[in-house]
Structures are given as C-alpha cells and as structure tokens.
Amino acid sequence: MELYKQQKIKIYNSLSNQKEDFIPLIEGYVGMYVCGPTVYSNVHLGNVRTFMSFDLVYRYFKHLGYKVRYVRNITDAGHLENDADVGEDRIAKKARLEEIEPMEVVQQYTVDFHNVLRKFNLLPPNIEPTATGHIIEQIEIIKNIIDKGLAYEVNGSVYFDVLKYNEKEHYGILSGRNIEDAIHNTRTLDGQSEKRNPQDFALWKKAQPEHIMRWPSPWSDGFPGWHLECTAMSTKYLGEEFDIHGGGMDLKFPHHECEIAQAKAHNNVSPVKYWMHGNMLILNGKKMAKSTGNFILPEEIITGDNDILSKPFPATIARFFMLQAHYRSILDFSNDALEASEKGYYRLMNAINQLKSIEPSKASTVDVGLWRQGCYDAMNDDFNSPILIAQLFEGVKIINALVDKKETLSSKDLETFKNTFNVFIFDVLGLENVTSVDNSEVLNNVVELLIKMRNEARVNKNWALSDQIRDELSAMGVHLKDGKEGTTFTL
C-alpha cells in the first residue's frame, strides 16, 4: 500500500485560515505551483527560505508516493517597480543601468538563482516556465475576460474591472479585505487616471517609447501584467483547478488575490484548493534591507564574506537552521542562532555515523513503530519540520542508548529505525552530511590525544587536570565514557 494512503496530511489553508485535511483533486496526484523569482538581481535569503519551505513539501509528497507536478515560474518580464501598474520594469531598469540587453540580465540572474538553490540542495521543479514564453496564452486570457465584460481597454492598456467582478464574486476572499480597503496604490501616478476605479489592475500595459521589453497584441505593443503571468502558467500546466499554490506571505495581496480574480473570471472556477504562504525572514531582529546594511546574500553565508557572521557556514547547516522554524513563523537569522544549529546538526550527523555500526539483538526494548509514526505525525501536521527535528533528536537518544547497550533492537526493528532516520534527514529534510573525512580524522586524532593526556593525568593522580579535560570536552559536545576496554567518546 502506498504511504499516502496510510498518512493523512493537514494543511493550513490561507483561504479558510485553518488547517484542513489534504484531499487531492485526483487521488495519488498533487499539482503544486509556487511563485518563482523576478530575475533582476541576486536571489535573497528570504526567497531561499520560501523556496526551501516548498521544497520540503515537495519532498514529503514524493516520499509518500504521490506523483507530483511541481511548477515554479521565472518572472522575466512585466514586473514593475513597487509592484505597481505603472513605472519601469525591474529587469529593463537593470539592463539600462548595466548597459546590456534585458535578456542578458534574465540569463545572469536565472543562472545565479539555480546555482544558489542547488547549493542549498533544493530539488528542481518538474516544470519551470517563463513569463516571456507564455505571452500568447496571456493575450488569449485577456481576450476572454474582455468578452465576459470583466476587463476594459483604454489607450492601448487593458485593466481588470474589480468592481464589476465584485458584483458577483468576492475580491478580497484570500486576504480578507473588503473592496473599499483594496486600494493598494493610492499615490498619484502617471496613467492612474486611465482606470475606471483605482482598485483595477493591469492585464496588459501599452509600452512607452522608451520601454525595451514589448510584444504585439490586439491592443498595443506592450507587456503583460505581473499577476496575469502566474495565472497563465499555473493553469496551463496544472489545469483550471489544482491542489496547492504557494508563495511568500507578501504575495497574498495583491498578487494572489488578483490571480484568483483573473482565473475565476477566465475559467468560472476558483483555481486553487489550498493556498499556502511562508512567513518572512528577519536578520538580527530587524527587517532585511540593503539600504540599512542589515542584509546578507545566501552565497555570503557559505563564503564567510560578510560582516554579520563569525565564520563561513556550509549551506546545509543554514538549511537545517531554517527548517528548525515552521514555514508559517517569522524566523530571526543571527550568528548565535546559526552556531547553535551547527552544534545540533553535527549531533545528528554523528548519530547517523554511529548508527552504521550498531548490531541487532534478538529482541527490541524500544518501540520503533511509535517513534517512526511520530516523525510522520510531525510532517502530517502542516509540514511541521521543527517537531520532526525534535523527534529525530529523540532518535539520537535511542542511538546513544543502543551504543551504551542500555537498549536493544531486533534485526527488523533496527532496519526500520535506520531507514526512517536516514529518510527523514536526507530525503525529506534534504540535509547533506558535510563532515569531511579529513576534518573527521583531525578531530578524532585531537580527541584521542586529549584522552591520552587525561589517562596520564589519572595515572599521576592529577585528578584536577583529568576532570578539567573531561569537563571542557563535554562543554564542546565531546562526551567521554570510561569502560573496561578504555575510554571512548561520542559527539
């Protein structure tokens, strides 16, 4: 029997603001769309956390045996500064400043995006469509919405008529806003007067003469609205209705709200069953911002080329740190927090290494089935990675007890325990064992030297030095154990 038939998942649905049983539209299949990056600059750490959260979701569905189609787009056009309906395209602006072609900007930062996510061990999506590759689909959607009387053209631009839509549907159903609260841009801007109502948003914008990125359409040479791109790509590859749509909390309004309105106007159905939103990442208790210097790039964590962290950290440790918080909670990134995670990470890796050498016994004194189900229960509860990690550390206690011969496992239970431990650490959490052989050997040699010095101190009845070595090693996470065959240590 497939695992997904045994495990029942609950997902916090932003549409209902409560946890709901996950029941896919088609049994055994999951369709998931996640809003990807706008590729005009290096991917920032907050983006990495969001994509990592949905990588966890993707990995768990795959582990349960679901056939998953995971679609994550690349926004390479149409995203204006400040998420407005007028102004300069972010990619075109970067191209102008760098004096290169817009598609050079797109290529450079798409490659950077892929490289960074690969270093953090994120699985690639099944489909990664681009906005510029789906202009035709977007134009067809606009035509249909106009034909239904829910969009209008003015001066070569096309706007979605929010008030007309709201006569029969609820614009604000996701964000919980009323129509009068839905004015997301109250500044006086060029072109604002084109709209019938300030709440209306652009489906197509006529390009000004200086605008580089443009395509022909029935209304003008122009470019699609940012919100429309995701509707076109998600419904093309996942259908008019699909299971999960994910993204950062900051996209809930207006982006995702507009997606719902467009898709419902176009297809007459609500497009998404479960809306999932990841929370923000802050740095040292404050919002990340380049302008204040309170900012770090993902690559800078790995290289140590920054003024925030005390040393470089492997990407997998940063991944472990981020997964120690639930995806819906705010996470404060700091040097102290990362160092604490590093210690926990190496405890897990050491336990994995110890597990390899444990031999089975005739009978079990540990209820492996109960511990194993605890791992599933954590992930089944809205993908609760911190609870899963806590359960894995309960597994570390079991390993230590097995090493000390205080507990035993039968051959079958030991195999189940090893498999479960490895699956959740490496396949579900996506961690990597980065302890190099060289570093491991050096560490072993240093500890063995200190054990030898301690033994000599004990022979010389220098109990103070003996205790000092033991206690200081213990404080560093190295625990000595004296036995009949000598002194051994665990990390």
Side-chain angles (χ1 to χ4, degrees):
M1 181 186 289
E2 293 90 346
L3 272 171
Y4 66 76
K5 292 182 179 178
Q6 304 169 21
Q7 306 297 332
K8 301 302 180 186
I9 298 174
K10 282 187 177 291
I11 293 179
Y12 186 89
N13 190 350
S14 298
L15 200 59
S16 62
N17 289 318
Q18 62 185 14
K19 290 180 186 177
E20 299 177 6
D21 291 331
F22 176 69
I23 303 171
L25 291 165
I26 302 172
E27 184 180 349
Y29 291 80
V30 177
M32 181 170 75
Y33 183 87
V34 174
C35 291
T38 302
V39 282
Y40 69 99
S41 65
N42 297 106
V43 60
H44 64 72
L45 198 58
N47 289 143
V48 171
R49 187 200 178 192
T50 297
F51 300 132
M52 191 181 294
S53 296
F54 292 102
D55 181 65
L56 176 74
V57 173
Y58 179 40
R59 284 172 175 274
Y60 189 57
F61 277 132
K62 282 168 65 71
H63 167 66
L64 292 182
Y66 282 102
K67 186 173 177 60
V68 188
R69 178 175 287 177
Y70 174 21
V71 182
R72 186 185 66 213
N73 73 299
I74 296 288
T75 295
D76 57 352
H79 196 164
L80 304 186
E81 288 188 283
N82 301 314
D83 299 339
D85 282 335
V86 294
E88 193 167 10
D89 186 290
R90 292 179 175 184
I91 293 164
K93 180 180 180 181
K94 186 75 170 182
R96 178 174 55 79
L97 293 172
E98 298 285 338
E99 296 183 336
I100 57 177
E101 281 289 323
M103 282 303 148
E104 288 185 71
V105 174
V106 166
Q107 178 70 9
Q108 177 183 339
Y109 292 112
T110 301
V111 169
D112 169 75
F113 173 66
H114 289 151
N115 286 341
V116 168
L117 294 200
R118 195 177 301 115
K119 288 176 181 177
F120 283 83
N121 201 30
L122 274 73
L123 299 176
N126 303 109
I127 302 174
E128 192 174 55
T130 63
T132 56
H134 296 76
I135 300 295
I136 292 172
E137 289 87 347
Q138 293 172 75
I139 289 173
E140 291 305 309
I141 290 173
I142 296 170
K143 287 179 182 177
N144 186 38
I145 296 175
I146 290 175
D147 289 345
K148 290 182 175 181
L150 292 171
Y152 56 91
E153 182 267 335
V154 55
N155 297 331
S157 294
V158 180
Y159 296 97
F160 189 91
D161 195 330
V162 169
L163 293 185
K164 187 74 178 292
Y165 171 84
N166 202 63
E167 289 175 5
K168 294 184 178 179
E169 304 289 349
H170 178 197
Y171 180 78
I173 190 171
L174 179 65
S175 57
R177 300 182 181 217
N178 295 319
I179 193 68
E180 56 269 16
D181 301 326
I183 303 172
H184 64 271
N185 191 342
T186 57
R187 296 174 298 163
T188 302
L189 293 168
D190 293 337
Q192 188 81 355
S193 59
E194 289 184 342
K195 299 180 184 182
R196 292 177 183 172
N197 306 287
Q199 297 94 332
D200 298 347
F201 56 89
L203 298 175
W204 186 267
K205 285 295 295 180
K206 179 181 180 180
Q208 299 304 310
E210 68 275 7
H211 201 97
I212 309 171
M213 303 182 80
R214 58 174 67 215
W215 292 265
S217 80
W219 313 285
S220 65
D221 276 8
F223 52 93
W226 168 42
H227 313 306
L228 185 64
E229 297 168 358
C230 285
T231 295
M233 291 182 280
S234 62
T235 56
K236 175 170 182 174
Y237 297 109
L238 296 173
E240 294 179 0
E241 295 180 88
F242 55 95
D243 297 299
I244 295 172
H245 193 314
M249 200 79 76
D250 57 318
L251 296 181
K252 187 184 287 188
F253 186 89
H255 185 51
H256 291 162
E257 199 71 74
C258 294
E259 279 193 61
I260 292 173
Q262 292 164 163
K264 207 160 188 179
H266 177 50
N267 294 318
N268 301 316
V269 292
S270 187
V272 179
K273 197 170 180 185
Y274 305 93
W275 284 91
M276 296 178 65
H277 291 94
N279 216 325
M280 66 187 296
L281 184 70
I282 59 176
L283 180 60
N284 292 324
K286 299 177 182 177
K287 185 178 179 180
M288 284 197 192
K290 285 183 178 178
S291 58
T292 61
N294 196 51
F295 187 84
I296 187 169
L297 289 172
E299 287 274 6
E300 294 171 344
I301 298 170
I302 303 167
T303 63
D305 185 18
N306 62 82
D307 299 324
I308 292 168
L309 302 178
S310 60
K311 62 178 182 179
F313 289 90
T316 196
I317 289 176
R319 181 183 178 105
F320 180 62
F321 161 73
M322 286 192 258
L323 291 175
Q324 283 182 292
H326 190 262
Y327 76 91
R328 286 192 290 112
S329 64
I330 294 174
L331 176 60
D332 190 359
F333 189 91
S334 70
N335 185 74
D336 288 349
L338 210 52
E339 286 186 342
S341 289
E342 182 181 39
K343 292 177 181 176
Y345 167 84
Y346 283 119
R347 277 184 63 204
L348 270 183
M349 293 305 112
N350 183 64
I352 283 284
N353 295 333
Q354 286 183 302
L355 191 53
K356 295 172 186 174
S357 60
I358 292 173
E359 297 294 331
S361 299
K362 291 182 179 180
S364 298
T365 59
V366 177
D367 189 338
V368 171
L370 184 66
W371 172 81
R372 176 179 180 270
Q373 188 56 45
C375 295
Y376 283 100
D377 289 345
M379 287 300 291
N380 292 341
D381 184 15
D382 195 29
F383 311 99
N384 201 322
S385 56
I387 299 298
L388 169 61
I389 290 169
Q391 184 70 0
L392 290 171
F393 277 113
E394 289 299 313
V396 172
K397 292 179 183 178
I398 294 172
I399 292 170
N400 290 336
L402 292 169
V403 170
D404 293 340
K405 307 286 196 254
K406 293 177 181 177
E407 302 283 4
T408 59
L409 287 177
S410 67
S411 180
K412 182 180 179 182
D413 283 347
L414 181 59
E415 187 63 29
T416 298
F417 183 74
K418 284 181 177 180
N419 181 61
T420 305
F421 208 74
N422 278 279
V423 159
F424 277 98
I425 288 175
F426 298 119
D427 296 349
V428 176
L429 291 176
L431 300 177
E432 297 176 288
N433 194 335
V434 299
T435 305
S436 70
V437 174
D438 290 342
N439 286 343
S440 179
E441 288 180 357
V442 169
L443 177 61
N444 288 340
N445 291 338
V446 169
V447 175
E448 291 294 347
L449 176 62
L450 288 167
I451 289 173
K452 184 179 178 181
M453 291 173 62
R454 178 172 174 264
N455 289 339
E456 289 175 357
R458 295 170 77 187
V459 168
N460 295 327
K461 296 185 178 180
N462 188 348
W463 310 119
L465 178 58
S466 170
D467 291 347
Q468 181 184 359
I469 292 172
R470 181 198 63 204
D471 294 344
E472 291 196 11
L473 283 173
S474 179
M476 297 174 192
V478 181
H479 304 290
L480 302 185
K481 184 183 179 185
D482 298 316
K484 293 179 181 178
E485 298 178 1
T487 303
T488 58
F489 71 93
T490 58
L491 296 174

